[in-house]
Structures are given as structure tokens and as C-alpha cells.
Amino acid sequence: MFSPCAGRVRRMMKEYNVKKGDFSLLGAVRGKGYVNFCMECRREWECNIILYPRENKKGQEKICVPWEFGQGNLRAVRVYGLDADAYDYSFEIDGTEVLDPYARRIVGREIWADTAREESSKNHLKCRIENQNFSWRGEKKPEVARKDMVVYKLHVRGFTKGLAESLEDSGTFRGLAKKIPYLKSLGITTVELMPVYEFEELNVASKQELPEYIDWPEKENDIIKRPDNKIEYKINFWGYGRGMYFAPKASYGATENPAVELKECILQLHKKGMECILEMDFPDAVSRKMIHDVLHYWVVEYHVDGFHLQGDNIPMDLILEDPYLGRIKFFYRNIPKNLIPQEEAANPRLFVDTDEFLYPARKLLNGINGNIWEFANQMKKQDDKLGYINYICDNNGFTLADLFAYDIKHNEDNGEDNRDGLNWNYSSNCGVEGETTSRNVQKIREKKMKNAIAMLFLSQGVPMLMAGDEDGNSQNGNNNAYCQDNAVGYKDWKQTRASKDFLRFVKKMINFRKEHPILRKETPMKLMDYLSCGFPDVSYHEESPWVSSGYINRRTLGVMYCSKYEEGGEDVYVGFNFSDYRKKLAFPKEKNRRKWYLCMDTSSKQSFLPQPVEVAETFYILEPQSVCILIGK
């Protein structure tokens, strides 16, 4: 049967030897002496590859791909003799030029938020045939156990762009690699990156149009001016929305090869024993097959350790059945437990990522209808096959510092009349909205921040810090900084005495968690003495040991973790007092001449004591709005 472009194929064969290609890999892939192109195209449609010589910006060539080179709704062609380093490309499907959704590199967005290239050409983006060669140099993937994980979520540009201007590579993958020692010193095991694939960071801002029938000769003193036809852009700083999922973000590269930079960054993380998790946002229009292909690609090509998936069309059934992804970690808001085989309990790698820890914690921290038992349930939440990502602050909402400095959101700079962002933040300003010179207010805020960190790292789930929360980063009350490509959206690296003190506290809290395995059991707490050792694995206490009230308006609780249920060592007693009064918290009498020692109290200036101090009484008086830790040894 005659193909509508067969003649053109024959003509092109004079220059290129064209053969039916390989359907197993979509996109453009280099082979020995050829390039294999594979794309989706229905049999009824005409299909072309458009080649753009890099030296001649105005020229182009076309290679027609006939349906004889097809299988199902795919077309594949091997083009021999093509100098892949001399051309960029795109596809023409049924008369429309489109970018290859499987392109390994996109050119045209190398400069972040470059409005000039947007206005100079509608078709400024092209695909590039990448050379994927990279030496992983004996890399060993860390595979951090769930019980040891401490997650740090960051935005590549925002994390390093706020560094001193004299520092090279800020806002790039290479800049991130330079800060890996900082993350290691903090105690981080798992770094989660917000979208690092190619996305459109320039969105055309909506403008209020006047009706066509309104026309007048414009005068200098007119109050209402004729609309300006100049295009205005809003920055998609975070990168959510559909992207080119196989290509790393070009403007995050300090060089012309962002792929190599990102791979080098991941390699350096692995050398430090740290994992890399990628956040991927898949709108409904993205097919289940493409999602699956994307995950495979980043594991194969970039050696990533896991993914935080966003979207409603995530094929968790396919993901859980795929043996190649069998050791890869997945964070998602809804993972059906019935789909998880019992064998997963030997290496838990699936994590529910929701804000169900956030709200009970915030309510208590800020005295807004908090329920101590709701929070206690969140503290002990664990599962043999499923993990839980706990956080009090995420990129979507207030920073930790702003959580105690603002009663309401302040998103005016976003250009949406403060209508965007969450309205229910369960925040408080501690008496003054925003920045203040009042030392009393500052002390209250600092203590609440410490309380929050203690709540997070003394709970059984996997703790996650948002970049900057470890040293009091503020967004000036903006709880939806999705478009803030400026100091608001950047981590502030200029430390004050207060931020340094708080950073030391966070490090000590992370270290305390690591030193006490009972705080991070792999199996759920049973509230029973199933070892017949005289103590349950976890128990609750108030003014008297072993006695706690079930009233929902309680604000005080003592939680004891018995170390015999996880490697032995020191027992841990955590006291919470979110009331406005001093409270007596009793603890059980230790056995075998063991005693209780005060280790930390957020109401004291330094919080962590230089050395634990023995508590002679059988109780401890905890100040209002405070958290304490005692150890039994």
C-alpha cells in the first residue's frame, strides 16, 4: 500500500539511511552510528521529524516517518548518518509542530524567567539529542532504613539563591551540591527536591480587559487609563503543573549540561550516605503509562532513591507490581494498604504524605481547640508496611517562624488581592502581627518553635523539615509563595544570634532522636506489656503515674517510651504542657536502681542541658506552653 510520504522518505534516504526503528524507547536515543526516534502518532496522521541545524538558526530539514514504520499508535525510525551534535529537533504530528514529550533535554529556557526569548519567538523551544554518558564511579546507593530517615524538602533555586552574591553557582544544581555538607551536619538523611524537570516558569498574568465599545481620546490627567497591551508575566517559581518530565531544568544548570550537574549532585549525596527524592506533579492529562515511564527513566538514568508523587491519576497498582521499582521509595497521599504485599514489611518504602499530623500539632501549639489525644494518636502512628511523613510546615503554607508571627496570611505581593493561599492556618502572632522588637514576644515565639520541633522529632513517623525552618526563615507572612522569585521565596542564610541558637537546638533534637531507637520503631505501638517487663511499650501519665484523663479539652500529657521494646538503653519520658498554667507531670518509678534525669526543657534558656540532671522527686513541674524530655537510666 502506498504511503503518503514514501517519496519524501526515498529522497531523504539519499542523505540519510532510514530504517524502521526500535519501539521500546520513546523519544530520541543515540545508537552506534544512528539516532532512534520513536513517537506517538496514529496511523491516519502524517508524521515528520523536523531538524534544526544549530549553526543555521533559520534553516530546517524534515524527515518523513511513514506509517510502514509504525506499530499500533507508535512510529519509530532509525536515522543513520545524522550528526546528533549538530541538530536540535521537534516533531510534526498531523500538521502541528510539537515538542517530544520524552525529550531528554529542552533548549531555549537556559536563562531563568527570560521574557525576551518569550516575546522574540513562539517556537523558541527545541529538543536536543542528549549524550547520556556519565560515570557513577563505584557509587553505592544508601537505602536509608525508614526508622533512620530525616527528610529535608527544598527548592533548588530557592535554597541557594539567597546565598551571598559572591558565591558562584547559587540557584543551581552545582550550588546545591556545595551545600551537601551543611545538610549532612544538620543530620539529614533524605533530601526531597521540588520539581527539577523542565517546566514553564513564565505564565502570562491575567489582565482586566475593558469592553470593546469603550473608546476615548486618552488625556494625561485621565484617572482611568487605556489598557497597556504589553504582556505581563507571573513566575511559576515552584514548578508545579505539567512539565517536560524527562529533561532536567535547564536554568538550574550552572553550565550548559544540567543533566551532568544533577547527576553529580545525586552522586555526592550518595557518597555522604544521603538519599534523593524527587517531587513529581502529574496533572490528570498525563497518562498512567507516561507516569510509569518517567519513574523508570529517573531511576535508570539519575539513580534517584524515590519520588513524592502529586496528582489524582497515579498508577499505584502498576508501581507496586513493578519489580524494577521494588526498592524505590514512594511518598503519596493515598496508598491502598490492600495492594501492599506483606513482604514489604521487611523493607518499608511506602509513605503516606498528608497534613494529618500538621493540624493537631498546630492547634495545640497555638491554643486553637487542640486535643491532646488527637495529637497523641498522631505521635504513635506507625504501620508495619506503610510509613508516615510527619511535618508541621510545608512549602504550601506558613514557614515555622511565620506560624507564630502572623494571625492571618499576607499574600498581597502575589497579585491576587490576598485571595490565594490557605485561610485556615491555625497560627498565632503571640501578641504582635509580624516583626517586633519586643523581647518578650520574641521569647514566646522562640519557645513555640522549639515546642514544634520537639513534637515533630519525638513522634514515631518520619520527620520532614521544610528548608529554612531549621533557623527561623520567614516569608513575611506569605503562605503561598509560589510566584515569589525573590528574598521572600529564598532561604535566608544571614544568621542572627537567635537563628544560630535555634539551629543548634534543631541539631540536638535530631541527634537525640537518632540516639534513642524507641522513638522510631518500625512496628506500631501496642500500649501493652507484651514482653512482661513491667512496662508497656508506650504509656500515658499526668499528675499521677499511669493515670490520664480522657477529656477532650486536656492540654497536658506525659508519654513514656520503654526502651526494652527497641534495642534497650534509655527509657524516654516526654512531657507536654500546652496549658497556660504550670503542671505537675508524674512518671513511673524506674526498676533496678534506674533513675530519671532531666535532659531538655523548652522553657529554659538553653533547652538542652549540658548534662542530664537527676530528678529526685517522682514528678516534674513543667512550665506553661513547654515541652520537656526525661531519660531513665
Side-chain angles (χ1 to χ4, degrees), residues 147-392:
K147 63 185 178 64
D148 298 327
M149 289 171 62
V150 177
V151 182
Y152 188 93
K153 185 175 180 180
L154 62 87
H155 183 283
V156 168
R157 181 173 171 85
F159 182 63
T160 58
K161 196 64 178 174
L163 290 164
E165 293 184 3
S166 58
L167 186 71
E168 294 182 356
D169 306 327
S170 65
T172 67
F173 296 126
R174 205 156 69 181
L176 170 59
K178 291 180 178 179
K179 300 305 294 182
I180 290 175
Y182 166 80
L183 296 173
K184 184 68 177 179
S185 70
L186 184 57
I188 302 302
T189 69
T190 306
V191 179
E192 178 182 337
L193 305 181
M194 292 173 67
V196 296
Y197 47 82
E198 191 61 69
F199 58 85
E200 178 55 85
E201 71 274 15
L202 284 173
N203 291 333
V204 178
S206 59
K207 299 173 69 174
Q208 186 175 1
E209 300 288 346
L210 293 176
E212 292 182 3
Y213 61 81
I214 296 181
D215 192 17
W216 71 93
E218 189 171 337
K219 298 179 181 179
E220 185 176 348
N221 60 348
D222 283 348
I223 296 176
I224 300 177
K225 300 292 185 180
R226 191 184 300 277
D228 188 356
N229 292 326
K230 184 179 179 180
I231 299 176
E232 295 181 1
Y233 296 95
K234 181 173 285 189
I235 300 294
N236 174 22
F237 182 59
W238 286 347
Y240 296 127
R242 184 161 189 173
M244 303 297 292
Y245 296 108
F246 293 82
K249 184 75 179 144
S251 59
Y252 287 177
T255 67
E256 293 184 355
N257 202 329
V260 169
E261 287 184 41
L262 179 53
K263 290 175 183 178
E264 185 64 38
C265 182
I266 294 172
L267 176 60
Q268 295 307 315
L269 283 169
H270 287 174
K271 285 185 174 182
K272 292 289 187 180
M274 302 164 71
E275 299 174 310
C276 180
I277 305 291
L278 299 188
E279 189 172 24
M280 293 274 183
D281 183 30
F282 295 110
D284 289 347
V286 182
S287 70
R288 287 162 53 92
K289 180 188 182 305
M290 173 170 271
I291 293 173
H292 192 242
D293 289 348
V294 168
L295 303 181
H296 256 260
Y297 174 76
W298 283 91
V299 172
V300 171
E301 196 60 43
Y302 287 82
H303 293 205
V304 300
D305 304 283
F307 302 92
H308 179 187
L309 303 176
Q310 302 276 9
D312 298 324
N313 195 33
I314 304 299
M316 288 307 303
D317 51 347
L318 294 178
I319 291 170
L320 295 177
E321 293 173 0
D322 188 340
Y324 188 80
L325 301 177
R327 306 289 290 190
I328 300 302
K329 292 177 177 176
F330 288 95
F331 302 177
Y332 188 49
R333 63 174 180 263
N334 180 27
I335 302 178
K337 190 175 178 181
N338 62 302
L339 296 179
I340 307 172
Q342 185 58 42
E343 290 78 9
E344 290 286 347
N347 176 47
R349 63 182 182 99
L350 306 170
F351 301 86
V352 176
D353 191 304
T354 67
D355 54 13
E356 62 180 26
F357 182 89
L358 178 153
Y359 287 107
R362 287 188 179 189
K363 288 176 185 178
L364 284 171
L365 285 163
N366 288 309
I368 306 174
N369 301 321
N371 183 330
I372 196 71
W373 292 111
E374 182 184 15
F375 176 67
N377 284 332
Q378 289 296 321
M379 279 194 71
K380 69 179 181 62
K381 183 178 61 180
Q382 190 58 286
D383 189 272
D384 55 347
K385 296 188 294 185
L386 270 176
Y388 296 91
I389 305 297
N390 291 340
Y391 54 89
I392 294 177

Side-chain angles (χ1 to χ4, degrees), residues 21-32 34-40 48-51 54 63 65 74-79 82-85 87-91 98-106 126-133 244 246-247 290 297 301:
D22 181 357
F23 298 97
S24 63
L25 288 175
L26 277 78
V29 181
R30 297 184 187 219
K32 290 185 178 180
Y34 66 87
V35 177
N36 190 88
F37 294 92
C38 184
M39 69 290 290
E40 288 191 38
N48 294 297
I49 301 166
I50 306 177
L51 298 176
R54 297 184 196 174
I63 298 178
V65 186
L74 293 177
R75 306 259 184 115
V77 59
R78 282 188 177 182
V79 182
L82 173 62
D83 183 358
D85 293 323
Y87 292 88
D88 294 326
Y89 75 99
S90 63
F91 295 147
V98 297
L99 293 175
D100 175 8
Y102 282 76
R104 275 61 166 175
R105 183 173 175 184
I106 301 297
K126 302 293 182 291
C127 306
R128 183 153 292 179
I129 307 167
E130 272 286 74
N131 186 339
Q132 300 283 68
N133 294 335
M244 303 297 292
F246 293 82
M290 173 170 271
Y297 174 76
E301 196 60 43

Side-chain angles (χ1 to χ4, degrees), residues 580-593:
D580 295 326
Y581 308 94
R582 301 175 78 202
K583 291 288 185 177
K584 172 184 175 183
L585 282 174
F587 29 80
K589 184 177 180 181
E590 284 279 67
K591 298 182 178 181
N592 302 323
R593 298 183 178 180

Side-chain angles (χ1 to χ4, degrees), residues 474-498:
S474 173
Q475 292 179 173
N476 303 330
N478 193 320
N479 74 351
N480 189 33
Y482 74 98
C483 59
Q484 296 300 325
D485 178 35
N486 49 44
V488 172
Y490 302 160
K491 171 176 163 43
D492 186 0
W493 290 92
K494 298 186 292 293
Q495 292 189 328
T496 62
R497 175 185 289 182

